[in-house]
Every structure is written in C-alpha cells, then in structure tokens.
Amino acid sequence: MWAERFSAPPLADACPTLVFVAHGGVLEPQAALLAASLHDAYVPAKVICRVMEPANHWGALRPDVANFLDQCGVEIRPLRNRIDDAYPHGNKIAALEGVSGRAVFLDTDMLLMVPFSTHQRLLGVAAAKPADVDTFSAGGGSWARVWSMFDRDVPAKIYTASISGETIRPYFNAGFVMASDGDALAGMWTEVAKRIDAEPSIVNKRPWLDQIALPVAFAELGWPVDDLTDAFNYPCHLADLGVMAPYFAHYHYTRVLAAQPKLAHRTRRLMAKYPALRAILKASGSDGWANLPDELANR
C-alpha cells in the first residue's frame, strides 16, 4: 500500500478540474460509473464531461445518462475530435480545450476509489505516469524520428515502464494527465499530434498517437513533468490491486470490475448509493454492462 496520501492544497484553486469524454454507446456506462465515483469521493467536485460531436457520428448520450451526470454535478461541454473522427483516441487530445487553470484529463474507464482533493505531485506544471509498456517502440516506432521532427534530440531522462519494467524514454500513459493550464496543453498536444500523424516516415502511430505526441507537447511548452505512480492510474487490467489502495483504478473492461474484489466492492457500493447508476448499467447493451449488477450481487 502506498504510504503517501493526499495533502490538502494551500489554495482552493490548486484542486484541479477533472475532465473526461463521453458519447453514445460503451462510454455511457463508463461515464456514469466514473461520475458516481467522483461525486462520492472527489471533494472539490469540479468535473466536466466533454460530449463528442457530431452526434450522428459518435452517438448522442441517452437521456438517463445525461440526467445522471447532471445530478452528479458534472458540467457537460461539447467537443469535436481535432485529429480525425476515425481515430477515437484523438478525443482525449483536445479534451482540456477551453478549460482554464489546473486540470486533469481522465480516461472514462476509471474509478475513483478513495476520497481525494489533490496531491503534492499535482501542484507542479505538468504530471503524468510513465507508460505501462513502450507500445510505440515495440511496434517499430522510432523516437529519434519523432523528436527530430521538432528539431530536438531524444530526451536523456530514463523511465521504467510500470508493468514491463523495460527502460524507456519519455512516454506516458495518457489515461491521467495533469496540466497547470488545460487549454494550453490541449492546443499544443493537438498541434504536435497532427504533425506526427501527417508524417509518413513515422510508423506505428495509431492508436498510440496520443501518447507519442504527449511528451513532445510538454517539451514544446517548456513544461517539466512530475512523474506519477500507479496510485493515480492503476492498470487493473494488467495487475491485480491486491493490497494496493490507489486513488484512481483504470479497469478497462467490465470483466475486471467483476474479477477484482476491491473493484467489485466499490462498484456495488456506488450502485447502492446511486440507484439510477444501477439502472443505467442494466440498460447498457454492450461489453457485459447489463449483466454486471446481477453478477456483482451474486458474488
């Protein structure tokens, strides 16, 4: 279990605005579960959901989901993919667009496990967790080519991938990304991603483009990046929680929610506290969500 716990910020505005993405389909139950966990345990309750447009491409949110987000105090703001509507990962790249001040982008398939406000590691200019695996290099991607596009050498700093244990250069998991200026990061992240995406000599770009562009965007902004631990973005699909007590669990799949006792317990408690959440999950027809409430009740 991690020894360090959250520290109260010296100023209220040090608590970040939390931002996630939703649209019709599988992201609806994920968004509802995340919103419930944030309403239950995120003390400042500063939360935005970016709903993707156009609805005829992404799918409109069901009314029950939109109403539930509103009941959880989540502000809904529309957003368009700035890269390519055929590239869903691109939605997160612009998610902090128009969000002034300190902000955190969260993947929608995450769950806040414990009460939280902010942390000393989130009080700097930028923060992210090293990737679980260097998926870009593993598929033949060249970091030297990426950085040379921006007239930069590959940064000398060495990281350790959190799951594979391999030595990597700056490459972050984009499921939890903190920026002291959300709008500035969104603009630079988008610009860098577009340039990399358009460069034919860079291979193995999709779906990793968001993660490839992120360290370059930080460098172009001149922002030092504070390293985060798994406590902020625990890869539950790759490692059992065991005795760990993270802030945010990144579960990825409904089967993981059902298989891991801590995740199952947290989800059951949220459904008990928010009956509308259970109804939303039961009405969701994809990826095992409809069966999840009964499966958890029988465990």
Side-chain angles (χ1 to χ4, degrees):
M1 183 180 296
W2 285 279
E4 60 174 347
R5 304 309 296 168
F6 76 88
S7 55
L11 298 171
D13 62 4
C15 297
T17 298
L18 305 185
V19 182
F20 62 93
V21 167
H23 53 69
V26 68
L27 290 193
E28 292 174 311
Q30 292 179 3
L33 183 58
L34 176 57
S37 74
L38 296 178
H39 186 265
D40 177 61
Y42 183 51
V43 179
K46 296 158 54 176
V47 184
I48 296 171
C49 175
R50 306 308 299 261
V51 177
M52 300 308 300
E53 294 184 338
N56 62 5
H57 176 82
W58 298 103
L61 285 186
R62 294 181 350 225
D64 59 335
V65 175
N67 289 339
F68 184 70
L69 295 182
D70 182 66
Q71 291 165 15
C72 289
V74 176
E75 178 187 350
I76 292 179
R77 295 187 191 178
L79 182 70
R80 286 180 175 264
N81 187 310
R82 303 303 183 193
I83 308 299
D84 179 359
D85 281 344
Y87 177 59
H89 283 67
N91 293 348
K92 70 175 65 177
I93 293 175
L96 299 183
E97 183 178 281
V99 181
S100 60
R102 191 170 300 276
V104 168
F105 168 78
L106 295 171
D107 269 355
T108 315
D109 54 350
M110 298 182 84
L111 191 58
L112 178 58
M113 300 293 287
V114 295
F116 184 76
S117 58
T118 193
H119 190 281
Q120 60 187 5
R121 289 177 182 259
L122 302 180
L123 299 180
V125 179
K129 191 195 86 166
D132 303 316
V133 179
D134 188 353
T135 48
F136 176 53
S137 295
S142 168
W143 282 112
R145 288 184 179 178
V146 169
W147 287 97
S148 67
M149 285 183 60
F150 299 86
D151 298 321
R152 295 177 179 274
D153 295 328
V154 178
K157 184 170 182 179
I158 299 297
Y159 296 81
T160 301
S162 61
I163 292 296
S164 68
E166 64 192 306
T167 296
I168 59 175
R169 295 301 175 88
Y171 188 51
F172 305 106
N173 187 298
F176 185 110
V177 179
M178 190 284 296
S180 55
D181 184 336
D183 186 60
L185 176 61
M188 184 59 73
W189 197 359
T190 298
E191 179 183 332
V192 170
K194 283 182 174 180
R195 286 185 59 185
I196 295 172
D197 196 41
E199 175 51 55
S201 69
I202 305 298
V203 300
N204 194 33
K205 289 178 289 198
R206 296 191 183 188
W208 319 116
L209 178 63
D210 57 326
Q211 296 189 172
I212 299 165
L214 184 57
V216 182
F218 285 143
E220 290 287 279
L221 288 165
W223 290 1
V225 183
D226 291 326
D227 304 341
L228 298 181
T229 66
D230 280 346
F232 297 88
N233 185 359
Y234 195 92
C236 297
H237 64 307
L238 298 174
D240 193 284
L241 277 170
V243 299
M244 297 299 183
Y247 305 118
F248 290 90
H250 201 163
Y251 59 86
H252 285 261
Y253 310 109
T254 54
R255 66 175 183 270
V256 177
L257 290 173
Q260 296 203 30
K262 286 184 177 180
L263 298 177
H265 176 71
R266 178 72 171 138
T267 304
R268 279 197 301 269
R269 291 197 62 177
L270 289 171
M271 288 191 296
K273 182 171 183 178
Y274 304 97
L277 173 62
R278 178 185 175 87
I280 287 170
L281 301 189
K282 291 284 288 182
S284 300
S286 61
D287 295 334
W289 285 102
N291 297 328
L292 184 66
D294 293 336
E295 187 175 353
L296 295 182
N298 294 329
R299 289 180 64 84

